[in-house]
Amino acid sequence: MALPILAGVAGTTALAAYLNAKHHLAHDLSKSTLTPTDAEFAWLAKRVAMRKLTTYDIFEAQALQNVPNQIFLIFEGREFTYREFFDYVTKAGNWLMNDLGVRPEEVVALNGGNSPEFLMLWLALDGIGAVPSFINYNLTGNALVHCVKLCESRYLISDSDVQPNVEPCAPELEESGVKLLYYNSDFINGLPSSGPLPQSRRDSITLESLRGLIYTSGTTGLPKGTQMTTGRELLVGHVTARYLNLKPSIRFYTCMPLYHGAAHGLCLTPSIHAGCTLVLGRKFSHKTFWPEVSSSRADIIQYVGELCRYLYTAAPSPLERAHNVKMAWGNGMRPDVWEPFRERFNIPCINELYAATDGLGSSFNRNHGPFTQHAIGLRGLVWHWKNGKNEVRVKMDVDTEEIVRDKNGFAVKAGPNEPGQVLHKLDPALLGSAPTYYKNEMATVGRRMSDVFEKGDLWFRSGDMMRQDADGRVYFVDRLGDTFRWKSENVSTNEVADVLGQFHQIAEVNVYGVQIPRSDGRAGAACFVLAGDVKESDVDYKGLAEHALARLPRYAVPIFLRLSPALEYTGTLKIQKGRLKMEGVDPEKVSGGDKVFWLPPGEECYVPFQKGDWEGLGSGRVKL
């Protein structure tokens, strides 16, 4: 009887292995996701009972009980233990309370770049029960005034380094009753020692309380303030620390701006929850990146996609492989950079994520090899059983940005490998937990839609197009609004940029659609920057056209090229497309001395685009 039993066991083992490979059971059931577990909800409930619901409370426990002598922060050669840093936070908190009279739940605008002092003031505001409004320190003019007025702060507390951005706005801000204050390291060091921050300042905080405002990048208008609630702030930090398996011995490097959700929620707060070391760069620079990473012995680096492209296209650094990095953690790693980045810099794990400060849902891909390369997530049978009814992809008309609906008026779901906007189901009874914009009800409601699959249902728009293949791998396609339609076909700007980025003479590229006279839809255009060693006179425009034509369908090949000395980015390294779309390719509107080229109908080489060519399109003499 032993042989049949053994054969049965072997057969069962093989079947289990097959089912796991096909349906990703082990992946879905593992704790390597950012979905909170029952234990984490129990942890949160315990903190509610203890009335310890701020990141300051967690930092205080690390500083006074758990890891007081552990290095918390490394910044430009300066090191602070948790206890040392806590003492500075206490001094800053007393200054805010006693000198400025900041009240519990009062919103205070904090405006500065990455520095120990920025962190001290944030934790101090948190510790006295106030609410920091994180201002993008690059802002000036109307955008800066708008953000400060929106949060109705009595103070704008700014790093002295950004004073040139603030002072032009001083008359308008002061007329509105806003007092301008500046800080630097000498100011914080000079504050007197003082007693502990009272627990009573934080007793009224609940899971639904506002704990911070993080602003959108403002690429589609003035920035909107995204509300961070207590529950979301605590769970994101705690669960991310668990997902990344952070321990006190880990050193976590970021040079992303702390005013943004990526550095704040996916690096800073998880580091505090774990009691590990934050290695902070002032800002991204190829000159300082590898020296800081190498000298600090960082284990994890945080990235956004364009940071990786900058590093990969830059000249070699003697330190780019002389480091301790085991994981790159971030979002937006493009396919043409992914594997070359891993190989060149010898980083075993690329941990790609998808999430948004003003969004719902998330995806994660801890990638070590070819199967999930370029993906933002992997969904198996169990995931679909648990979440398939609450997250869907629907087909979109990219011209109108409206959902494609069937004959009954309901949304059509995207199939395997079909791009679709991701929607998340909302419970009308729990809208308080859905993303909201501060004092902007119209924008908040605009992210919601009803009657999607049945009358009365309610869903949240992600604004992002994704596709999922037959193996459960999920890929980011484009931001809705960036995808455009040409020759009755949808064109993904990201996919076209990936192809053009592989051409050896191109360092960076930004793809977008432009309106052309007498043409429906938008024609493809690509603004590009030359690789460092390429002269303008040496550009192989025929080779570039052949490269694109060999790898893209004809409708997706950019008709227009715009040669520029540099691309425009937001403070969080997101490519700006607004000015390029507005100027289009009319030679009289193209600014900055940029040069425009085009691929005339039927030709296979890009040539200069002249005023006469534009007039030919306008008159109908030339048809695309």
Side-chain angles (χ1 to χ4, degrees):
M1 295 293 291
L3 187 59
I5 292 174
L6 288 174
V9 170
T12 302
T13 302
L15 177 60
Y18 167 78
L19 291 174
N20 179 50
K22 182 174 177 60
H23 299 295
H24 316 305
L25 302 178
H27 176 275
D28 287 352
L29 292 171
S30 74
K31 291 187 177 181
S32 61
T33 71
L34 274 189
T35 303
T37 63
D38 290 342
E40 282 152 348
F41 282 119
W43 170 85
L44 190 60
K46 183 179 179 181
R47 299 206 70 84
V48 171
M50 295 166 56
R51 294 188 178 181
K52 298 287 187 181
L53 287 175
T54 66
T55 305
Y56 170 86
D57 289 314
I58 295 169
F59 194 93
E60 181 182 50
Q62 303 289 32
L64 301 183
Q65 302 167 27
N66 302 332
V67 287
N69 299 318
Q70 167 70 27
I71 298 297
F72 163 60
L73 180 67
I74 299 174
F75 178 81
E76 296 183 346
R78 301 160 65 189
E79 293 188 356
F80 300 83
T81 67
Y82 272 84
R83 180 56 200 253
E84 289 169 342
F85 202 85
F86 181 74
D87 290 342
Y88 284 104
V89 171
T90 302
K91 292 198 296 183
N94 277 280
W95 171 69
L96 291 163
M97 283 192 305
N98 301 328
D99 291 39
L100 302 189
V102 175
R103 302 179 296 269
E105 301 181 21
E106 180 177 352
V107 180
V108 178
L110 183 59
N111 178 33
N114 291 1
S115 71
E117 293 71 34
F118 181 93
L119 288 175
M120 292 167 189
L121 288 165
W122 161 59
L123 280 169
L125 287 166
D126 203 40
I128 65 171
V131 179
S133 175
F134 297 108
I135 306 295
N136 178 343
Y137 67 84
N138 297 292
L139 298 181
T140 189
N142 290 338
L144 174 59
V145 172
H146 162 78
C147 291
V148 178
K149 286 185 175 180
L150 176 68
C151 67
E152 296 182 337
S153 175
R154 292 189 293 145
Y155 300 102
L156 174 59
I157 304 177
S158 301
D159 191 320
S160 58
D161 286 346
V162 302
Q163 190 168 352
N165 287 349
V166 176
E167 285 304 312
C169 308
E172 185 173 357
L173 289 170
E174 290 171 344
E175 186 178 339
S176 301
V178 179
K179 186 172 183 179
L180 307 184
L181 301 170
Y182 294 98
Y183 66 86
N184 56 29
S185 58
D186 291 338
F187 172 76
I188 300 292
N189 287 331
L191 292 174
S193 298
S194 47
L197 304 183
Q199 171 65 40
S200 59
R201 301 272 306 198
R202 305 185 295 280
D203 279 347
S204 63
I205 294 173
T206 68
L207 290 178
E208 294 76 31
S209 295
L210 179 66
R211 298 308 312 137
L213 293 176
I214 289 182
Y215 290 85
T216 62
S217 58
T219 54
T220 56
L222 290 171
K224 298 185 286 289
T226 303
Q227 300 187 164
M228 295 191 302
T229 63
T230 307
R232 183 162 182 162
E233 171 88 341
L234 286 178
L235 275 179
V236 169
H238 190 72
V239 176
T240 302
R242 183 261 298 161
Y243 170 77
L244 294 175
N245 197 27
L246 298 182
K247 297 177 174 61
S249 59
I250 294 292
R251 295 187 168 198
F252 201 158
Y253 177 84
T254 189
C255 57
M256 301 307 299
L258 292 172
Y259 65 73
H260 191 258
H264 178 90
L266 298 173
C267 179
L268 171 59
T269 59
S271 296
I272 293 172
H273 279 258
C276 70
T277 299
L278 173 69
V279 183
L280 185 63
R282 187 177 293 274
K283 61 181 180 180
F284 172 71
S285 165
H286 179 256
K287 181 179 179 180
T288 59
F289 186 89
W290 290 118
E292 289 180 339
V293 169
S294 179
S295 64
S296 66
R297 305 189 308 281
D299 301 281
I300 303 173
I301 58 173
Q302 185 179 31
Y303 70 84
V304 294
E306 291 310 312
L307 179 151
C308 300
R309 188 179 297 279
Y310 275 137
L311 291 173
Y312 182 69
T313 58
S317 163
L319 298 175
E320 65 184 34
R321 292 175 69 88
H323 56 69
N324 192 48
V325 178
K326 305 171 187 68
M327 176 191 295
W329 156 252
N331 65 287
M333 180 84 77
R334 299 308 306 158
D336 62 316
V337 174
W338 191 299
E339 201 55 35
F341 182 89
R342 188 206 313 268
E343 292 177 0
R344 173 172 167 179
F345 302 122
N346 192 31
I347 299 175
C349 177
I350 295 176
N351 203 328
E352 174 79 2
L353 70 100
Y354 166 82
T357 305
D358 58 346
L360 284 174
S362 55
S363 295
F364 304 89
N365 173 22
R366 195 190 304 263
N367 172 255
H368 290 88
F371 179 67
T372 59
Q373 205 173 85
H374 312 155
I376 61 170
L378 181 65
R379 272 77 184 275
L381 187 66
V382 175
W383 186 95
H384 283 284
W385 171 65
K386 292 175 65 177
N387 303 299
K389 293 182 179 179
N390 297 318
E391 178 182 310
V392 299
R393 289 171 296 106
V394 294
K395 292 184 178 181
M396 300 296 297
D397 183 325
V398 297
D399 287 332
T400 63
E401 297 187 14
E402 295 293 332
I403 287 176
V404 174
R405 296 181 179 267
D406 61 19
K407 62 181 181 181
N408 297 315
F410 296 121
V412 177
K413 292 184 180 180
N417 277 318
E418 289 184 330
Q421 182 185 185
V422 175
L423 306 181
H424 293 94
K425 194 167 188 178
L426 293 173
D427 184 341
L430 299 173
L431 287 183
S433 62
T436 54
Y437 297 113
Y438 191 66
K439 297 186 177 181
N440 193 337
E441 184 67 16
M442 182 179 297
T444 297
V445 173
R447 297 294 298 273
R448 303 169 187 169
M449 60 191 318
S450 58
D451 302 334
V452 177
F453 295 108
E454 60 184 13
K455 289 292 183 181
D457 63 3
L458 190 63
W459 293 78
F460 180 85
R461 311 170 188 252
S462 71
D464 290 321
M465 301 284 284
M466 300 182 194
R467 65 179 175 86
Q468 180 175 316
D469 68 13
D471 293 316
R473 294 171 292 196
V474 182
Y475 300 91
F476 183 84
V477 175
D478 234 338
R479 182 74 183 160
L480 191 63
D482 287 347
T483 292
F484 59 90
R485 196 164 181 82
W486 181 247
K487 301 295 183 183
S488 301
E489 299 284 354
N490 294 339
V491 180
S492 165
T493 60
N494 275 328
E495 292 179 1
V496 175
D498 291 341
V499 169
L500 296 185
Q502 294 169 7
F503 189 67
H504 65 284
Q505 293 183 320
I506 290 181
E508 303 172 76
V509 64
N510 184 3
V511 177
Y512 51 101
V514 294
Q515 291 183 317
I516 300 298
R518 298 177 178 265
S519 295
D520 294 328
R522 292 178 181 266
C527 182
F528 70 101
V529 176
L530 294 176
D533 58 346
V534 178
K535 297 178 181 178
E536 189 175 325
S537 58
D538 294 334
V539 178
D540 182 4
Y541 286 102
K542 188 174 192 305
L544 177 54
E546 291 173 348
H547 172 87
L549 288 164
R551 292 163 176 80
L552 292 167
R554 184 78 194 209
Y555 66 81
V557 173
I559 296 173
F560 299 96
L561 298 179
R562 177 170 175 161
L563 177 59
S564 182
L567 301 185
E568 294 180 5
Y569 289 90
T570 67
T572 54
L573 297 182
K574 292 180 180 177
I575 292 180
Q576 296 271 39
K577 298 177 187 276
R579 182 176 65 87
L580 297 176
K581 287 181 177 180
M582 183 177 63
E583 292 180 358
V585 294
D586 182 346
E588 293 187 351
K589 292 182 179 179
V590 172
S591 63
D594 293 359
K595 297 180 179 179
V596 179
F597 300 81
W598 75 315
L599 193 62
E603 299 296 327
E604 295 187 356
C605 179
Y606 287 103
V607 297
F609 184 69
Q610 311 288 354
K611 184 178 179 181
D613 299 317
W614 174 254
E615 292 173 346
L617 292 172
S619 67
R621 178 170 48 84
V622 179
K623 297 183 183 298
L624 296 178

